[in-house]
Amino acid sequence: MTEWPLTPEELEKMIDDDFIERAKGMGPMGWEGYAKYLKYAADVILERYKPAIKELSSQEGGRMDVPEEEWFERDVHLIYTYYLLMGLSIENLVKGIIMIRHPEYLRNNTELIKERMGTHNTIWLLNSNNIYGFTDYENILDALSKCVIWMSKYPVSLKRKNFDWGCDWVDPEAVDILYKNLHERLDEEKERLT
């Protein structure tokens, strides 16, 4: 049991140990744990989006006649936040798989190798680490990666050459299936490790 107050050296060691544990995906708030929290938040948002899209779809005259103040006009835009959170959740699962396979990506126990982990491009992360079985989901992975890049920042990029239209529509049920498949793969990797 830890005695309080800790000395500065003891506190630094505790932080170092926790960083290493989380970076390797073994700590309770590692890649998998964070992916679950992000997915939970995404699911809450999706439940708010569903009645809004249903209501908006039932409007005669289409969307052009709906005032911005209407709850469903506002809540229908939540789908982009859902994509952002699911993109981050899926990215965390992918990085968790990678760190189980490649603990050496944690350089000197102080930093993750940016060239191997410093991207939101989940297709590249999977392919460059020889994680197969997800080619059927590449359109979803690509769309969600784009959402993570664009929906988490600004309404427009800082330079025209980096401009993109943003998120493409992706079926939330297909996103959920991808999440489950990646989570199963992470579980398989953890079992293989033990």
Side-chain angles (χ1 to χ4, degrees):
M1 184 160 165
T2 306
E3 296 278 330
W4 291 96
L6 296 175
T7 66
E9 295 80 20
E10 291 169 328
L11 181 60
E12 282 301 311
K13 177 163 180 4
M14 189 170 84
I15 293 170
D16 289 346
D17 292 346
D18 196 39
F19 172 77
I20 293 165
E21 191 173 278
R22 289 184 189 194
K24 290 184 176 178
M26 301 310 193
M29 281 297 297
W31 304 103
E32 179 183 18
Y34 201 60
K36 285 180 180 179
Y37 287 126
L38 289 164
K39 171 133 179 19
Y40 175 75
D43 288 344
V44 168
I45 288 169
L46 184 62
E47 288 309 308
R48 180 107 180 231
Y49 161 80
K50 286 177 181 179
I53 193 65
K54 185 177 181 181
E55 180 64 30
L56 187 62
S57 299
S58 72
Q59 295 295 307
E60 286 190 32
R63 195 171 192 169
M64 299 306 286
D65 297 331
V66 177
E68 283 183 34
E69 305 85 43
E70 288 288 350
W71 69 270
F72 53 88
E73 175 61 26
R74 180 193 64 236
D75 286 1
V76 78
H77 296 281
L78 291 173
I79 193 66
Y80 300 112
T81 305
Y82 167 80
Y83 292 151
L84 168 64
L85 294 173
M86 284 305 296
L88 289 167
S89 179
I90 285 170
E91 180 183 327
N92 272 266
L93 290 176
V94 169
K95 289 180 177 180
I97 294 167
I98 291 168
M99 287 308 297
I100 288 172
R101 286 184 171 200
H102 298 285
E104 71 274 11
Y105 290 175
L106 179 59
R107 185 182 327 192
N108 300 324
N109 289 336
T110 60
E111 66 179 314
L112 292 169
I113 298 175
K114 186 176 182 179
E115 297 78 21
R116 302 304 304 161
M117 299 289 284
T119 183
H120 298 296
N121 186 335
T122 51
I123 295 172
W124 182 87
L125 287 165
L126 290 166
N127 292 338
S128 67
N129 287 285
N130 301 317
I131 301 168
Y132 302 113
F134 296 97
T135 53
D136 291 347
Y137 298 103
E138 285 188 357
N139 62 333
I140 297 171
L141 291 166
D142 184 52
L144 294 178
S145 292
K146 215 176 355 173
C147 286
V148 168
I149 292 168
W150 292 107
M151 302 308 292
S152 64
K153 294 184 180 180
Y154 318 109
V156 67
S157 58
L158 298 177
K159 295 181 182 178
R160 167 59 185 94
K161 71 178 184 174
N162 298 328
F163 179 74
D164 194 295
W165 290 103
C167 293
D168 299 326
W169 191 86
V170 182
D171 180 4
E173 289 181 24
V175 173
D176 195 58
I177 291 169
L178 171 58
Y179 174 89
K180 289 175 183 171
N181 289 340
L182 281 165
H183 201 277
E184 285 175 17
R185 179 66 63 86
L186 180 61
D187 287 341
E188 290 169 9
E189 293 294 330
K190 287 189 304 185
E191 284 178 26
R192 188 182 57 78
L193 190 66
T194 56

